[in-house]
Amino acid sequence: MRINRDLYCLNNWFPCSYKFFVEYSFATNAVKLNWFDMHFAIQKGVFSPRSAVEHALHEIECRTNIEKSENELMLLYFDEFQDHLIHPYIDELADGISNNDKEISPYKLMYVMLKWIYENKDDFDNPFCLAEDIYSSYFCPPSIEKFAGFGAANVTGRAREKLFEEWANYIKTESLLWL
């Protein structure tokens, strides 16, 4: 396995200073999500709490053996939804995920965020500011240094185009790992 940052990253990492939600449908098209991924992304403010209900519906559609907590989450879809109601269920479901899957969850989420920012780059004044923020939040991983390293937000002209090419290469390479 190429990553192992202990659980320090899980407990102390915050995605970036910008606030945005990645839509559940976007994330599920980018990676295969488990309940720890959902719990982690909701806890860190990258997915909305409602995405847990969407994930429960998705899991119920795809599997024959359904966890009681998944069924309870699915029922929230039909009730008046309140964010705090999901936590007992996702806490329980996330506990059932292996430690190996828990360790890679932050990096899976990093990929989802960087893919989302890249695909929506025209909506930001400077998407490299977000990429740089994610880079520093993840203790400067070499996998994104070429386009998100310190100073990337200040690059202009042809050099900026080159950074976008590096970002696209990262997304292409990582997509093979996560799908």
Side-chain angles (χ1 to χ4, degrees):
M1 179 182 286
R2 67 183 170 92
I3 50 178
N4 185 349
R5 303 265 188 212
D6 299 318
L7 294 181
Y8 177 83
C9 185
L10 293 178
N11 296 324
N12 297 305
W13 173 80
F14 185 76
C16 61
S17 58
Y18 297 89
K19 294 291 182 188
F20 58 85
F21 284 133
V22 174
E23 291 183 22
Y24 175 76
S25 59
F26 179 88
T28 57
N29 287 323
V31 297
K32 180 170 177 14
L33 296 167
N34 63 48
W35 280 108
F36 188 82
D37 300 331
M38 294 302 300
H39 184 274
F40 186 69
I42 291 167
Q43 179 187 29
K44 299 303 180 184
V46 177
F47 293 174
S48 75
R50 185 129 186 117
S51 64
V53 176
E54 292 179 76
H55 190 64
L57 290 168
H58 173 77
E59 290 294 302
I60 289 168
E61 288 175 0
C62 295
R63 294 196 340 252
T64 55
N65 66 339
I66 299 164
E67 300 288 333
K68 182 178 184 242
S69 294
E70 289 174 325
N71 194 47
E72 296 292 325
L73 272 169
M74 189 263 314
L75 293 174
L76 291 176
Y77 179 78
F78 300 105
D79 291 339
E80 187 173 319
F81 184 79
Q82 295 176 2
D83 292 358
H84 70 280
L85 296 176
I86 66 164
H87 291 288
Y89 306 116
I90 64 172
D91 291 348
E92 179 183 324
L93 291 162
D95 283 345
I97 302 301
S98 75
N99 284 338
N100 285 342
D101 286 339
K102 288 178 181 179
E103 282 185 16
I104 65 171
S105 194
Y107 296 91
K108 188 187 299 185
L109 187 57
M110 178 178 76
Y111 165 70
V112 169
M113 287 189 305
L114 288 167
K115 181 175 172 58
W116 186 84
I117 293 165
Y118 181 82
E119 291 187 14
N120 294 282
K121 63 185 176 276
D122 294 336
D123 296 337
F124 298 101
D125 291 335
N126 189 342
F128 291 105
C129 287
L130 281 87
E132 256 187 35
D133 209 3
I134 291 169
Y135 176 73
S136 64
S137 296
Y138 274 90
F139 310 106
C140 310
S143 62
I144 66 172
E145 186 174 32
K146 288 182 180 177
F147 66 89
F150 298 113
N154 300 322
V155 173
T156 60
R158 175 67 186 124
R160 185 177 175 93
E161 291 173 26
K162 179 70 175 151
L163 291 179
F164 276 124
E165 290 171 16
E166 293 292 347
W167 198 338
N169 289 336
Y170 163 81
I171 291 168
K172 184 178 178 181
T173 301
E174 290 290 305
S175 70
L176 301 173
L177 294 173
W178 300 117
L179 286 178

